[in-house]
Amino acid sequence: MQFLQSADNFLLRKQVQKIIKTLKAQDEFEVFEFSLIEDSIASIYEEIVTYSLFGGKKIVVINDCWFVNESKVKLHKDFDLKLIEKILNNQNLDVEIILTLNSDKFSKKLKIAKLTETKADVMLIQVPNIIQKNKLP
């Protein structure tokens, strides 16, 4: 399980695509993409716990994971932290979960953020500064 966050949405999408490409090179995967703002948390959880129709592996990308910081973003009406905890504690090895957040803020106070930090590989993708941009080819 991976948690990717960046203030730059383009860099975030590129990193997700890179991870998916790497995983697909190793095995056959179906890719599902969800948003915690637009999609029901119950349907996301159901997709994670159900087996694929053809018995293959799945990659589930969950965008807009605003539950790890203290911003007041309106998530889907049925959002439930208990289902997020179940997703984080998922033991199904046939499902790769990638959580993303288009923000560089990660709370150290919230219980769910601490659980996310222990269960997932948290990666902060830094936005390059002007000096780093000038060094690019």
Side-chain angles (χ1 to χ4, degrees), residues 70-87:
E70 296 166 22
S71 298
K72 301 295 181 202
V73 176
K74 180 115 173 92
L75 299 175
H76 193 272
K77 63 184 175 188
D78 76 342
F79 178 78
D80 185 11
L81 277 177
K82 288 183 174 60
L83 284 178
I84 293 294
E85 288 177 14
K86 286 183 179 182
I87 289 171

Side-chain angles (χ1 to χ4, degrees), residues 2-137:
Q2 298 181 25
F3 186 92
L4 308 174
Q5 67 183 90
S6 177
D8 187 337
N9 195 34
F10 176 77
L11 293 176
L12 189 64
R13 298 279 153 238
K14 281 295 193 188
Q15 186 64 35
V16 169
Q17 290 171 356
K18 184 178 174 183
I19 291 170
I20 290 172
K21 185 177 179 182
T22 304
L23 289 171
K24 281 188 163 186
Q26 298 169 1
D27 206 347
E28 189 73 25
F29 282 93
E30 286 183 85
V31 179
F32 299 93
E33 192 160 346
F34 298 99
S35 167
L36 288 180
I37 294 174
E38 298 171 4
D39 299 308
S40 165
I41 188 69
S43 64
I44 297 170
Y45 180 70
E46 184 178 322
E47 190 61 52
I48 290 172
V49 297
T50 57
Y51 289 100
S52 175
L53 182 62
F54 303 108
K57 296 183 177 186
K58 296 181 191 178
I59 299 173
V60 177
V61 180
I62 305 172
N63 298 311
D64 305 317
C65 295
W66 290 98
F67 59 86
V68 297
N69 69 20
E70 296 166 22
S71 298
K72 301 295 181 202
V73 176
K74 180 115 173 92
L75 299 175
H76 193 272
K77 63 184 175 188
D78 76 342
F79 178 78
D80 185 11
L81 277 177
K82 288 183 174 60
L83 284 178
I84 293 294
E85 288 177 14
K86 286 183 179 182
I87 289 171
L88 291 171
N89 290 317
N90 179 43
Q91 299 295 320
N92 188 350
L93 299 176
D94 290 336
V95 178
E96 284 289 329
I97 301 171
I98 303 171
L99 304 160
T100 69
L101 176 61
N102 189 17
S103 171
D104 57 354
K105 304 214 182 328
F106 194 93
S107 175
K108 298 292 182 188
K109 298 182 217 172
L110 297 174
K111 179 182 167 191
I112 193 70
K114 290 176 185 175
L115 180 65
T116 302
E117 213 168 25
T118 60
K119 297 291 184 175
D121 297 329
V122 178
M123 180 190 308
L124 175 61
I125 304 163
Q126 296 287 345
V127 178
N129 61 28
I130 198 75
I131 295 169
Q132 293 169 329
K133 286 180 184 177
N134 288 338
K135 290 183 181 179
L136 293 175

